Amino acid sequence: MADASSISRRRFLTLAGGTAGMVAVSQLVAELPAAYADELDRAPFTLGVASGEPDHESVVLWTRLARDPLNAVDGAMPAYPIQVAWEVARDPQFRHVVQSGEVTAAPGSAHTVHVVVGDLAPDRWYWYRFRADEVYSRAGRTRTMPPPGAKADHMRFALVSCQSWVGGPYPAYRDLAAQDLDFVVHLGDYIYETTNGSLTEFRRLHALYKTSPDLRAAHARFPFVLTWDDHEVQNNYAGSIPPGPADGRPFLERRANGYQAYYEHLPLRPEQRPTGPDMLMYRRVNFGRLAEFSVLDTRQYRSDQALGDGRKEPTGEVFDPTRTMTGLEQERWLLDGLSRSKARWNVIAQQTIMAAFDYDLGPGQIVNLDQWDGYPPARSRILDFIATQQVSNPIVLSGDWHTHWVNDLKTDFTDPGSKTIATEFVGTSISSGAGWDADVRAGLAANPHVKFYNGSYRGYVICDVTEQRWRTDLRIVLNARDAASPAYTIAAFEVLDGAPGAHRIDAGDGIIARVTDAATGAALPNVQLTVTATDGIPQVASTTDPSGEVLAFAPPGRYTVAVNGVGYEPVTHPVTVIEGAPTKLDLPLHRAATRAGTGRTIPGPQSQAGTADMVLGNDLMALAVSAGTDDPQLSGVTVGKPLDLAAVGHLDQLDWINLPYASATQPRGGNAWQQRTVRSTAVEVLSAGGSAATVRATGASTAVPDLRVVTTYTIRPNEPWVTAESAFTNLGTAPRTFWTGDALDHDGAGQRSGVPGHGTITSGTPADYPPTAPWIGMTGSDRQTYGLLYEDTDFVAYAAYNWVMSQRQVTLAPGETLTLRRRIAAVDCGDGADPFAVLDRL
């Protein structure tokens, strides 16, 4: 084991998890500094205490006995039951104990304890603790709710979800634990599954997550109301249907194991105890007459995702009214409860985004089929019911998508002028990343009912509620990987009693920038801003929305803002952020000159190239060619090939272009694109700018002997393409026959390929498509089209929906050279129905 003084907390726990059952935690802790040892509660209560499921007269208390919490087999506990004493008091010193008793912690339930403490006074705070082996647990704090129907003036709670262990050490929970709250609502993804679906593995994961001192602190300070999403079992599962194979065990066995471990490790009531793969999670929670929460389970009973899941155009089965997110019984339960409710605020607490969101900026539609967009009839039944029954102050709380949203909910999302009937608040994640942030940001222009969006930060939500208004504060932490990261409110919204729709009530802090074209004043979308502190550490990177604006939050201090947009010269700008006031920047950009060289990057969610790679750019597009960056799918042969590509006003959506290849056999099958048959050994700039900028990659075929391959990339002013000429020379004494061409892989939202004469390719099975025009293309939901335009149609296109390649057979005599010429284009395809029509005009 390495020097303990240099081991981070995460590194320690990773090491411990990797040696569970082999090295005792006590042994590991003995080798660590005191600061790390103190992060575990005193054994056997190493995983802390928790409370949950409060009503007006009772609450559930929880703990688990585990001397070695990372011993996945038994927690280093004996294989016999242990008696655990508990007590509840009106004060933190336990001078006034109101109830006490004993309960058995059995090895069959991982020595976990659930105590339902009843006959408590309503609307009151209590303290509780456990005792075993003459050791007391830490003291926890909990409360009861106001009585049903009673007047309650004020309620304050937090909304959390999505706490991937690898995402960071939970500074959001550290901030949450310091708040003044009544309770916490957890909307799922409490753990993230591994490929092993055994009960032992799920127990290990729950124990691992609770080694977080900040998570334990939050549990000890507030009662939790919990529901699950998918990662407690398997990502994107639907009812009894898994999204794909995991470890080979039957899925319902995996689900039963996940449910069992979930129940064991959380403060849930006996009615929620699972029976095999079934567990009742939907229920109502009341806070007097002020609010009624309908807590949903949108995983256990849902219909399978349509069209194979993912983000796709909704067609056919998507609109089948029999498909449901909740199951018909739970749906009836929800609507019946909403119709009977006498509460001022009616809250639907559930997992995935309910508002519609179209990722396609054109006339088409691309939606996330795992969210309510994949079940539009079921959503319409609920929203139509809310509208026709005039449910009092409906609020929907959602998680899952790792980003902050404020949405107007409508019965007709296609009509921006239609009436808003409810408000949805979507909380960002505690620690899980959001690789789709740029995709969402790019699609905002097509979704005016989204009143606020930010995907740059992790955090949680605070809701402060009175009879007259509902206030939501969107909390963020600057760095989820820093346990001491400070937290801030990035935005605050208010919904007034009787007036659906949220309104922003704060001016906003941090840096609010608007980027425009210096010559025309037009707003510039998809421009990247990177905020860097004076110590050189980047604080945040984000991209402008369709109005050219971006919120790049930073605490008070001095910073440098770097601005990078395709087709424009990059700029840097010093800025000072003052506490309590927004710092506004107007940033005009000048159109870019034609150039080739290092030192620049192309912004976008798929960007791979670094500043040491080559970028060819002008005022219309930019292309990055690897000068050293290696893509794992093209390991060893990435150098000299395009990695990033974008048109002006757009972000990079390219995975790579395998340009060119030279295979001894014709590429066939699902991995035909993965040709490692041309390796470049040198990439150099021949001309850095002026009337033309040129980069040359020199190499050879790895599959065809004696075949030299030299590709020259050239960009000129005012052309939306880079010319790529690949010269194949037979240096040997015998003729050489081989297959050559290029493969194009687009990884952005709504990815689909196109071949002239065949339109958009929708099949996932690759097939030959003889082209009627000399190009192949890829596009996505951002209305940007990529194309490879050849001199002739003397090739066959071999394509699936998510990649496309050209194939032609060539024979070269000794000393003979063949030059393959094509243009690599990136263009906005406009608002037409055919995104590939633009390639015919180039």
Side-chain angles (χ1 to χ4, degrees), residues 658-736:
N658 196 345
L659 178 154
Y661 66 87
S663 175
T665 59
Q666 184 176 15
R668 298 279 93 176
N671 291 326
W673 49 265
Q674 199 170 24
Q675 292 289 315
R676 294 187 174 92
T677 53
V678 170
R679 177 180 290 114
S680 294
T681 55
V683 180
E684 57 187 325
V685 175
L686 300 184
S687 172
S691 61
T694 305
V695 168
R696 182 173 64 194
T698 303
S701 172
T702 63
V704 182
D706 306 318
L707 188 64
R708 183 177 65 190
V709 184
V710 178
T711 298
T712 304
Y713 299 94
T714 303
I715 189 168
R716 295 179 174 85
N718 305 313
E719 293 180 348
W721 58 72
V722 170
T723 300
E725 298 185 349
S726 296
F728 302 86
T729 303
N730 182 358
L731 301 179
T733 59
R736 298 299 181 190

Side-chain angles (χ1 to χ4, degrees), residues 111 179 238 253 289 356 380 398 402 479 485 518 537 570 625 647 686:
H111 287 97
Q179 300 291 333
E253 180 183 330
R289 200 170 60 236
S380 292
S398 309
H402 308 177
N479 183 1
S485 180
I537 299 176
V625 175
L686 300 184

